[in-house]
Amino acid sequence: MEHTNEADVLRQGAIVLVFLAVLSLIEYFIAIAIGAVVLLLVVIIIKVGLVMYYYMHIAKLGEDTTGLDPHGYEYKTGTNRLGLWLFLLSDAFVFGGLAVARFNLLGLNRPALNQLLGLTVTAVLLMSSFFMNRAETSMAHGDRRGFIMGMSITLLLGMVFVAGVLGVEWPSAIREGITPSASAAGAVFFMMTGMHALHVVTGLIFLGIVLHKGMRGLYSTEKHWGVESAAVYWHFVDVVWIFFYPALYLIGKSL
Amino acid sequence: MRHIVIVGILVIPTTLLTYLGLSASSLMPLEGSAQALIVDQMWNWDMIAIAFLFSVIVVPLAYSLIVFRRRKGDTSDGVHDEGNIKLEVTWTIIPLLLVTFYAYLGAYTLGETRTPDPNAWVVNVTAHQWAWAFQYPEGFSSTELHLPEHKQVLLKMTSLDVIHSFWVPEFRVKQDVLPGRTTELRLTPIALGSFKVRCAELCGLSHAYMEAPVLVTSPADYDAWAQQQATAFNALLAKGGPDAGKAFVAQNGCAGCHSIDGTRMTGPTWRGLFGSEVPLSDGKTVKADDAYLTESIKDPNAKIVAGFPANVMPKFDLTDQQIKSIVSYIETLK
Amino acid sequence: MRLFYRSALWHGLVWQLIGLVVGALFVTVIRAVMGLQAFGPSLFTEPAWVVGGFMSALAFLAGSGALTDWYLWARGIETPEHREDPEGWEKYLSVSLDHKVIGIQYTVTALFLFLVGGSFALIFRTELAEPGLQFLTLQWYNTFMSLHGIVMIIGILVGVAGVMNYLVPMLIGAQDMAFPRLNAFSYWITVPAIVLLLSSMALGGFDTGWTGYPPLSARAPIGMQMFFLGVFTAGWSSILGGLNLIATVLRMRAKGMTAFRMPILVWAAMATSLITLTATQLIGLSFQLVSFQRLLGMGFFDPSKGGNPILFQHLFWFYSHPAVYVFVLPGLGVISELLPVFVRKPLYGYRFVAMSSLGIALVGFLVWAHHMFASGMNQYLQVPFMYSTLLVAVPTGVKFFSWVATLWNGKIETPTPMLFVLGGIVVFLLGGLSGPPNGTVATDLHLTDTYFIVGHFHDTIFGGYVFPFFAAIYYWYPKATGRRLSEKLGKLHFWLFWPPFLALTLLMMRTGLIGMRRRIADYDPGLGLTWYHVGMTVAAFLIALGTAIFLYNFIRSIKHGEAATGNIWNSRSPEWQVPSPMPVHNYPESIEVVGEPYDYGLAGSQYVTFSKEEQGRTPVHGTH
Ligand code: HEA
Ligand code: HEA
Ligand code: CUA
Ligand SMILES: [Cu+2]
């Protein structure tokens, strides 16, 4: 990051966001107009690829570390990065299992959910990922104000997302008769959204801590693993939703 | 080299002895069904492979322990031999071919055990904690499984509560019985005699005791039995009343949970039940009259007796007629 | 004793109790306010017990101090990378960051679980000695049997973690694990897990076996929930331990330790960790789903709500089959590690053996449905799963053949560790060979859920885990204590352990074929199995006797064992090139790998060197 200029990186982040937004619209269109699952999958893969490459910097895992002091900060960060990704890999299996349960139980049907709400919360989460990326980039370039700005907005959007899912989506679903105990469909819906929301909340706590430490000036251009890890985790939660949103709202025909 | 030859020679008799030992000590129970014959054939193939593979490993191992053990005062090391690619590839490829062959055998055998016979006859099996009930094409049901010899039967099985598993060791093949769906099993009895269905899936407290008699008879004997059962059943239906109720209770294995002598089992005893004030789990009490008893049988969870678990008593498919006579039977249990 | 009351263990336990009560009361109050039933037959209601149990685990961790450093990190306070441990036995009850201490904590915990689980086995084996119910009720039989299974399995996971934690950093020339704090956390979370598991006995027990299939597990007593919670928390230890180990091996190897110069046990540990890291999540999930079905009536596995009981079995076995390779891979690694030392010959076909571990782990992910052949799963999936199952035999075979070839032309010595290695090989062979018949659908339809299966997996588990585990203890005990275990008692242990064990499992298989079902408290005298069962029970007690002797040896030798500070096995691997007990930071910085690990019999060859000044002792060569 050192040699890049902050503005460029920020612009890059913005472009990625535009792409993600457009892709999401295409996805929605495919779902209502054609309903081709394969196409949906393609779009999903592309979105995930974008987030992982540009926001989560998966490429950093491959950085060669020869000649680094094994007790130095840089080498340790490399190790931590590996650890975090291993954790995400492990966590992915929980969500994978939930997806399997969903398709085993409901096949190509889906609960009749409020499409507008779904689209809104999805947009909110995407935005938050964008601002998270801004915050990290700013810190990487020693721009504390930008960092605090980005972090705060991310936190805010995160809370909006949780409020949207738990506070609006759940009650409206229950009013539609989709309750946890009514049917397998209800059970699946609440389990998937609930498990994801749980991760969002832990992410929010993590972000809060990092923001607080950042304000106290505990991070620097060279040493901000705390920020990077919070960011990667937050983007991961977004990636999960990139799978879950279509699985719950788009794929198959509404019950 | 000498050693290899010796071991090679030793492996052959060991294999033979192991195999003979295994097949001599008749491992499997009596072959009671056509399927058993096929399964045992496959089993025999397995025994051959096992006898050989066991010897191939154990003989050289034992041999080395004797011949290559460190002699007193010898402090030298063994020969420096890191391996031999050709050899290693060989002992990867050969097992690979072997398992591929066995997988083929296995698939073939499986197909054999499942070949449907166009004129197979059907028995519906209902499993519940902890009894089996069999509904026969002649329209009656019984807790005994009677099968005519040399005639393929298709069992259509379902469970009223948890997962059970239908197994008659002499017939070999096993099939789980699930709630909410029907699983099938094809059997062709070939040996006259009486055996037992043994529930093979842990299904709670009395899993160990969830057995039912199986009688393989000559077709003639079966028909006689079926005729007599059917007529008796229809007679009961027509007649109704306590005696009929008693019979239906027997046929549906209610006794698995309800005593008539006052002892507490999984369910409340029926002794002195009728007319009593039954305390319910929600604190209320209800008078055990016809209406209540009928309801408790039709919809066991409508009212839960205090001190007894809900969702334990299954819903039985009983006609109103049958329930009526069962209730009248319970009334007699003062 | 006063030291004990200051220990992390004690604080943790006290806090766990507090957490339990607080959590349970919290829910109870809420329910009371909402006008729901506040108290149940077993004091609290089920939701209260579950929340309480969950809180109790967190409270234990907080109370024991396993979370302190992270809490400080959140507050922005830096803590030192390594901290000093208290002197003497006290450090084993404290939250240490030293992988050696943690390894020993794991190992001792595993032994404890082995004793507890074994005692359960002794109890229900006695009940089974003759038909009819002697002294157990049906409910207690099921509870003891199920707890025996799960306690032993958790015991294995803990024991495996112990072996890997203690050895892997030493074997790769590292000073510690990649994440020492995470390491400590992974250990300490197992303790509340065990407490939760055993507490199920106080809450009506559970009668589902260790597999906890719904719908039965959806109706079992509240003890079921404690079982779920216990396994769930223990699972996190497995997951994080695996994560830590992979990171350690990938990032902490000594200079010059290329992939194919790693000791074979490290390869095994990697393969194992790949499984624990990923698959474990699914047993956690499957149990969570049943737990929620019980608490909130969510109908995942309830047919009347459109649920599917088979789905649970798929999720459960997706973990629980690979898990069985978690049990054995490290053990097989230990076998491959020790054989060359006692045969004074290189491990035959090192690369194939190394790859076979990965092969087993990867293929092991594709075979889970062989536990479900009779379950009513899709029939057209049965044949593919049969084939994949049989495939596992191939890489496993590679190991066996390599072991035999290693023994061939060697100079074999048979001290106690080697006895357990050889015994393990034979037992695992029996267990392994009884696998393919289960894997073949047609025969499995007869074998499934009988004692044949029980025999199969006791053989595989003992041969692949228990025997190698004891071998490892006899072999590395001096490394940890500077004293060795008594050879005489060790041999006695082996001869009380091995023959009765063979008898036990062969009888299991025999009775299974005749018609002895699994998980039954009472059996039909008509089958004529009584004498077989008597035999099994006697065998069980002989095994227990052997175990008791081992315990005596283990405890006595800590103080009175024969001193052994040097390279007593004359091994080449790095940990034996430095004095025992192992120094706190294992090796001097300058450790470097310069040769192959198992070049026994190659004069003048070296595996590791330390630069002159810091050198512990002159590196021992392959030859005397
Ligand atoms: C230590 C753990 C362990 C190990 C290593 C294994 C190894 C194997 N297991 Fe086992 N298994 C269990 C633990 C283990 N198992 C447990 C705990 C259960 C019961 C769970 C429960 O229900 O409670 C179980 C149940 C179980 C079942 C389900 C039975 C049923 O319930 O119906 C099956 C079915 O396929 C099976 C198969 C196998 C196979 C094919 C192997 C193979 O990996 C074996 C491979 C090894 C060899 C084959 C021997 C050496 C190889 C050679 C000498 C080379 C040449 C060999 C050939 C060409 C065949 N096992
Ligand atoms: C590590 C795994 C492991 C180990 C070591 C064992 C060890 C033993 N097992 Fe285990 N067993 C399982 C794993 C294991 N088992 C599993 C997973 C199941 C399936 C459960 C299910 O179906 O759900 C099972 C089921 C099972 C059954 C079938 C039960 C049934 O289906 O109804 C039987 C029956 O004989 C049995 C017997 C034994 C015996 C006799 C031993 C002996 O080796 C034990 C020897 C005794 C000891 C090692 C204890 C030593 C005790 C002392 C020295 C006294 C001092 C004690 C204290 C100080 C506390 N086991
Ligand atoms: Cu029914 Cu076991
Ligand atoms: Cu398996």
Side-chain angles (χ1 to χ4, degrees):
Chain A
M1 285 256 172
E2 287 68 17
H3 315 302
T4 57
N5 137 345
E6 181 175 2
D8 299 349
V9 186
L10 290 181
R11 194 173 309 109
Q12 186 196 56
I15 298 171
V16 174
L17 176 68
V18 175
F19 269 94
L20 288 171
V22 174
L23 282 168
S24 305
L25 290 176
I26 297 176
E27 183 181 48
Y28 188 76
F29 173 76
I30 295 176
I32 50 170
I34 323 169
V37 179
V38 186
L39 274 179
L40 277 179
L41 269 178
V42 175
V43 180
I44 294 170
I45 303 294
I46 300 174
K47 283 169 77 177
V48 171
L50 285 174
V51 175
M52 283 199 173
Y53 188 80
Y54 289 104
Y55 284 175
M56 297 170 86
H57 318 297
I58 191 168
K60 279 193 189 172
L61 281 176
E63 277 174 3
D64 109 45
T65 55
T66 41
L68 288 180
D69 160 23
H71 297 295
Y73 184 87
E74 216 176 322
Y75 191 85
K76 282 227 177 70
T77 305
T79 310
N80 293 340
R81 195 175 286 131
L82 174 65
L84 178 60
W85 277 94
L86 286 174
F87 176 78
L88 298 185
L89 172 67
S90 173
D91 214 11
F93 273 70
V94 179
F95 295 108
L98 282 171
V100 169
R102 178 246 178 274
F103 285 103
N104 175 287
L105 292 178
L106 308 185
L108 284 185
N109 302 319
R110 57 179 163 82
L113 298 164
N114 180 331
Q115 287 296 339
L116 185 61
L117 262 174
L119 214 49
T120 329
V121 290
T122 308
V124 171
L125 201 59
L126 258 182
M127 296 292 288
S128 78
S129 251
F130 166 70
F131 283 102
M132 184 69 243
N133 175 261
R134 281 186 79 87
E136 185 191 0
T137 313
S138 313
M139 178 50 77
H141 296 81
D143 163 7
R144 280 253 318 278
R145 286 192 62 268
F147 163 78
I148 294 172
M149 268 311 275
M151 267 321 238
S152 319
I153 302 180
T154 313
L155 262 167
L156 201 74
L157 291 172
M159 293 176 191
V160 174
F161 176 85
V162 177
V165 173
L166 303 195
V168 185
E169 179 62 311
W170 280 15
S172 83
I174 290 173
R175 261 182 267 107
E176 299 296 317
I178 306 172
T179 70
S181 56
S183 68
V188 164
F189 168 71
F190 280 92
M191 195 67 204
M192 285 172 84
T193 48
M195 181 65 81
H196 180 261
L198 179 72
H199 282 71
V200 177
V201 171
T202 44
L204 285 173
I205 297 170
F206 195 1
L207 289 181
I209 294 171
V210 170
L211 173 58
H212 178 241
K213 290 178 77 173
M215 287 160 108
R216 287 172 49 200
L218 294 176
Y219 298 119
S220 68
T221 311
E222 299 74 26
K223 300 194 170 191
H224 58 276
W225 164 245
V227 180
E228 181 184 339
S229 52
V232 172
Y233 180 78
W234 189 256
H235 295 309
F236 170 73
V237 174
D238 190 9
V239 166
V240 171
W241 190 252
I242 292 181
F243 281 103
F244 273 19
Y245 167 66
L248 283 171
Y249 288 83
L250 301 182
I251 291 181
K253 55 182 189 318
S254 160
L255 284 167
Chain B
M1 197 56 221
R2 195 177 98 258
H3 296 305
I4 298 188
V5 177
I6 300 174
V7 166
I9 294 170
L10 281 177
V11 166
I12 300 162
T14 335
T15 309
L16 288 175
L17 285 177
T18 322
Y19 173 66
L20 290 180
L22 285 169
S23 44
S25 60
S26 60
L27 293 170
M28 290 285 193
L30 171 149
E31 286 172 331
S33 74
Q35 289 71 20
L37 298 173
I38 306 160
V39 170
D40 288 6
Q41 229 165 30
M42 184 68 219
W43 174 257
N44 189 42
W45 282 104
D46 284 339
M47 287 305 105
I48 294 172
I50 287 177
F52 171 66
L53 292 165
F54 182 73
S55 316
V56 155
I57 302 290
V58 169
V59 170
L61 189 137
Y63 187 84
S64 314
L65 284 183
I66 298 159
V67 179
F68 303 127
R69 76 175 183 288
R70 179 180 296 286
R71 301 285 184 291
K72 279 252 171 310
D74 175 357
T75 59
S76 65
D77 281 352
V79 293
H80 179 79
D81 177 1
E82 292 191 325
N84 169 337
I85 290 296
K86 280 209 195 62
L87 189 57
E88 290 159 33
V89 171
T90 321
W91 68 43
T92 313
I93 298 296
I94 292 181
L96 186 62
L97 298 177
L98 199 59
V99 293
T100 314
F101 173 62
Y102 267 75
Y104 167 75
L105 275 184
Y108 176 77
T109 319
L110 182 62
E112 288 294 292
T113 60
R114 294 207 170 133
T115 37
D117 174 345
N119 48 22
W121 67 298
V122 178
V123 173
N124 291 320
V125 181
T126 324
H128 63 73
Q129 288 172 317
W130 289 272
W132 298 92
F134 306 94
Q135 288 89 30
Y136 289 81
E138 293 81 355
F140 64 92
S141 73
S142 160
T143 51
E144 294 186 353
L145 180 57
H146 285 242
L147 299 172
E149 196 185 14
H150 296 305
K151 188 154 183 287
Q152 188 180 68
V153 59
L154 170 58
L155 301 173
K156 297 196 167 179
M157 310 186 285
T158 187
S159 164
L160 299 177
D161 38 45
V162 300
I163 302 178
H164 304 271
S165 190
F166 180 100
W167 186 43
V168 180
E170 290 77 5
F171 295 168
R172 304 293 183 274
V173 286
K174 205 183 266 111
Q175 176 59 57
D176 285 6
V177 183
L178 294 109
R181 73 165 85 179
T182 318
T183 52
E184 297 188 342
L185 184 61
R186 290 180 183 276
L187 292 169
T188 318
I190 57 169
L192 294 175
S194 64
F195 314 105
K196 271 185 186 166
V197 183
R198 305 174 187 273
C199 175
E201 182 68 53
L202 179 53
C203 52
L205 275 187
S206 302
H207 161 59
Y209 301 114
M210 187 167 164
E211 299 175 329
V214 180
L215 270 89
V216 179
T217 59
S218 72
D221 293 357
Y222 171 80
D223 293 335
W225 178 79
Q227 273 316 316
Q228 168 245 332
Q229 289 288 318
T231 40
F233 181 77
N234 296 329
L236 283 172
L237 270 185
K239 174 155 159 293
D243 308 359
K246 189 166 186 200
F248 296 140
V249 165
Q251 287 167 3
N252 290 281
C254 316
C257 298
H258 295 285
S259 78
I260 57 172
D261 60 1
T263 49
R264 178 201 166 104
M265 295 164 77
T266 314
T269 180
W270 291 343
R271 175 134 175 257
L273 167 60
F274 185 72
S276 67
E277 285 293 330
V278 179
L280 299 178
S281 60
D282 58 9
K284 302 194 189 68
T285 61
V286 56
K287 188 159 193 323
D289 51 13
D290 291 6
Y292 165 73
L293 292 182
T294 315
E295 179 194 48
S296 340
I297 300 171
K298 270 204 168 122
D299 177 8
N301 285 335
K303 298 196 179 66
I304 303 302
V305 181
F308 288 90
N311 330 314
V312 167
M313 170 161 164
K315 274 201 186 68
F316 291 80
D317 52 78
L318 296 162
T319 65
D320 293 359
Q321 246 171 320
Q322 284 176 299
I323 296 183
K324 197 160 174 299
S325 33
I326 290 178
V327 171
S328 66
Y329 165 63
I330 297 179
E331 287 180 20
T332 65
L333 302 171
K334 289 285 170 302
Chain C
M1 211 58 219
R2 258 173 57 254
L3 288 178
F4 177 74
Y5 289 125
R6 277 199 262 111
S7 69
L9 179 61
W10 176 250
H11 285 183
L13 290 172
V14 172
W15 276 97
Q16 177 161 23
L17 188 63
I18 298 173
L20 174 71
V21 175
V22 170
L25 282 177
F26 175 70
V27 176
T28 310
V29 168
I30 292 185
R31 287 178 69 90
V33 172
M34 291 169 65
L36 295 160
Q37 178 194 8
F39 293 94
S42 41
L43 185 53
F44 295 120
T45 53
E46 182 161 337
W49 279 115
V50 174
V51 173
F54 189 72
M55 298 284 286
S56 79
L58 297 180
F60 179 99
L61 290 167
S64 65
L67 303 176
T68 313
D69 284 6
W70 288 329
Y71 173 67
L72 292 176
W73 168 86
R75 301 250 324 274
I77 301 167
E78 284 307 320
T79 46
E81 174 77 21
H82 292 286
R83 64 168 113 83
E84 280 308 309
D85 288 331
E87 272 316 304
W89 60 269
E90 218 188 323
K91 69 165 172 269
Y92 294 106
L93 296 180
S94 74
V95 179
S96 166
L97 301 185
D98 177 350
H99 78 93
K100 296 185 286 302
V101 177
I102 296 174
I104 290 168
Q105 290 172 323
Y106 268 123
T107 308
V108 173
T109 313
L111 283 171
F112 169 75
L113 289 172
F114 184 63
L115 291 184
V116 176
S119 308
F120 291 153
L122 295 181
I123 295 172
F124 69 69
R125 263 299 357 146
T126 316
E127 169 63 55
L128 286 172
E130 59 180 74
L133 283 183
Q134 278 64 260
F135 61 99
L136 287 179
T137 63
L138 294 169
Q139 184 63 28
W140 274 111
Y141 179 91
N142 287 342
T143 303
F144 279 135
M145 177 272 294
S146 311
L147 273 175
H148 163 71
I150 196 63
V151 165
M152 284 297 198
I153 283 176
I154 302 286
I156 299 182
L157 294 174
V158 171
V160 162
V163 171
M164 298 198 305
N165 246 287
Y166 188 78
L167 292 177
V168 167
M170 285 185 195
L171 290 173
I172 62 173
Q175 303 199 325
D176 207 316
M177 296 284 270
F179 308 114
R181 283 176 188 74
L182 192 65
N183 203 21
F185 178 85
S186 313
Y187 168 72
W188 283 100
I189 197 173
T190 55
V191 182
I194 293 162
V195 176
L196 285 171
L197 263 184
L198 296 178
S199 70
S200 66
M201 281 189 287
L203 290 169
F206 58 102
D207 56 6
T208 61
W210 78 280
T211 50
Y213 282 7
L216 185 59
S217 55
R219 331 164 139 227
I222 298 180
M224 198 75 223
Q225 292 280 19
M226 294 298 126
F227 162 83
F228 288 150
L229 273 174
V231 176
F232 184 76
T233 23
W236 277 105
S237 164
S238 238
I239 293 168
L240 298 172
L243 184 160
N244 208 339
L245 194 118
I246 295 177
T248 307
V249 174
L250 290 182
R251 306 281 299 183
M252 314 284 282
R253 294 198 306 281
K255 189 145 166 285
M257 180 159 300
T258 56
F260 285 111
R261 281 182 170 181
M262 293 195 298
I264 206 74
L265 179 55
V266 178
W267 278 101
M270 274 301 265
T272 308
S273 304
L274 277 174
I275 298 173
T276 51
L277 174 72
T278 54
T280 311
Q281 295 282 11
L282 280 122
I283 192 178
L285 179 65
S286 60
F287 283 178
Q288 236 173 318
L289 295 183
V290 183
S291 183
F292 285 162
Q293 172 164 343
R294 290 175 62 113
L295 292 174
L296 309 172
M298 296 170 106
F300 300 104
F301 311 119
D302 175 352
S304 67
K305 289 179 177 173
N308 173 10
I310 303 279
L311 170 62
F312 173 89
Q313 300 180 22
H314 280 297
L315 294 174
F316 177 84
W317 288 116
F318 184 84
Y319 164 75
S320 295
H321 179 82
V324 307
Y325 296 118
V326 172
F327 304 168
V328 288
L329 287 174
L332 306 185
V334 168
I335 294 180
S336 310
E337 195 68 39
L338 298 201
L339 271 180
V341 179
F342 294 111
V343 180
R344 313 306 307 166
K345 240 175 114 251
L347 177 65
Y348 199 92
Y350 167 93
R351 285 176 183 235
F352 268 62
V353 178
M355 286 302 126
S356 70
S357 293
L358 287 181
I360 293 175
L362 296 183
V363 182
F365 269 101
L366 307 174
V367 308
W368 74 89
H370 65 215
H371 295 270
M372 302 163 56
F373 285 151
S375 71
M377 64 183 275
N378 284 333
Q379 290 204 351
Y380 56 81
L381 283 181
Q382 289 179 329
V383 169
F385 272 107
M386 161 168 64
Y387 189 54
S388 60
T389 298
L390 295 182
L391 274 184
V392 185
V394 176
T396 319
V398 168
K399 289 189 189 290
F400 276 90
F401 296 125
S402 300
W403 293 335
V404 171
T406 308
L407 286 165
W408 197 256
N409 265 327
K411 290 271 169 41
I412 304 171
E413 297 161 345
T414 52
T416 311
M418 184 62 165
L419 279 182
F420 276 89
V421 165
L422 294 168
I425 293 179
V426 174
V427 170
F428 186 62
L429 180 64
L430 282 174
L433 287 175
S434 60
N438 309 342
T440 314
V441 185
T443 38
D444 183 60
L445 292 181
H446 178 61
L447 303 174
T448 187
D449 277 312
T450 67
Y451 264 53
F452 186 87
I453 305 303
V454 176
H456 157 73
F457 66 72
H458 282 85
D459 266 343
T460 46
I461 288 177
F462 268 75
Y465 166 75
V466 177
F467 281 92
F469 182 65
F470 281 120
I473 291 180
Y474 281 101
Y475 182 81
W476 277 290
Y477 187 91
K479 203 27 46 194
T481 61
R483 302 183 175 278
R484 57 188 300 174
L485 291 160
S486 147
E487 271 293 302
K488 231 205 265 79
L489 292 177
K491 293 219 159 65
L492 185 58
H493 173 201
F494 177 78
W495 290 113
L496 276 170
F497 215 73
W498 193 61
F501 181 75
L502 287 178
L504 174 70
T505 49
L506 291 175
L507 285 174
M508 283 173 169
M509 295 191 194
R510 175 101 175 96
T511 49
L513 290 172
I514 302 175
M516 178 69 193
R517 296 169 283 155
R518 285 178 71 175
R519 299 168 169 175
I520 54 176
D522 186 5
Y523 48 93
D524 179 353
L527 288 169
L529 299 172
T530 312
W531 284 108
Y532 294 127
H533 276 288
V534 173
M536 287 189 250
T537 307
V538 172
F541 277 93
L542 288 176
I543 298 171
L545 180 60
T547 315
I549 289 171
F550 164 80
L551 281 183
Y552 170 73
N553 194 358
F554 188 89
I555 293 162
R556 182 184 149 285
S557 303
I558 294 172
K559 278 215 170 16
H560 311 294
E562 170 195 342
T565 55
N567 185 352
I568 53 168
W569 311 114
N570 177 21
S571 153
R572 289 170 58 87
S573 68
E575 80 273 20
W576 291 105
Q577 313 313 323
V578 294
S580 313
M582 201 75 177
V584 174
H585 290 311
N586 300 358
Y587 303 108
E589 281 292 330
S590 60
I591 179 170
E592 180 170 359
V593 176
V594 297
E596 302 296 321
Y598 302 109
D599 271 342
Y600 293 96
L602 184 62
S605 67
Q606 264 190 26
Y607 183 31
V608 292
T609 59
F610 311 89
S611 69
K612 286 285 155 289
E613 59 278 5
E614 292 157 316
Q615 199 157 357
R617 336 174 30 256
T618 43
V620 177
H621 297 239
T623 48
H624 294 246

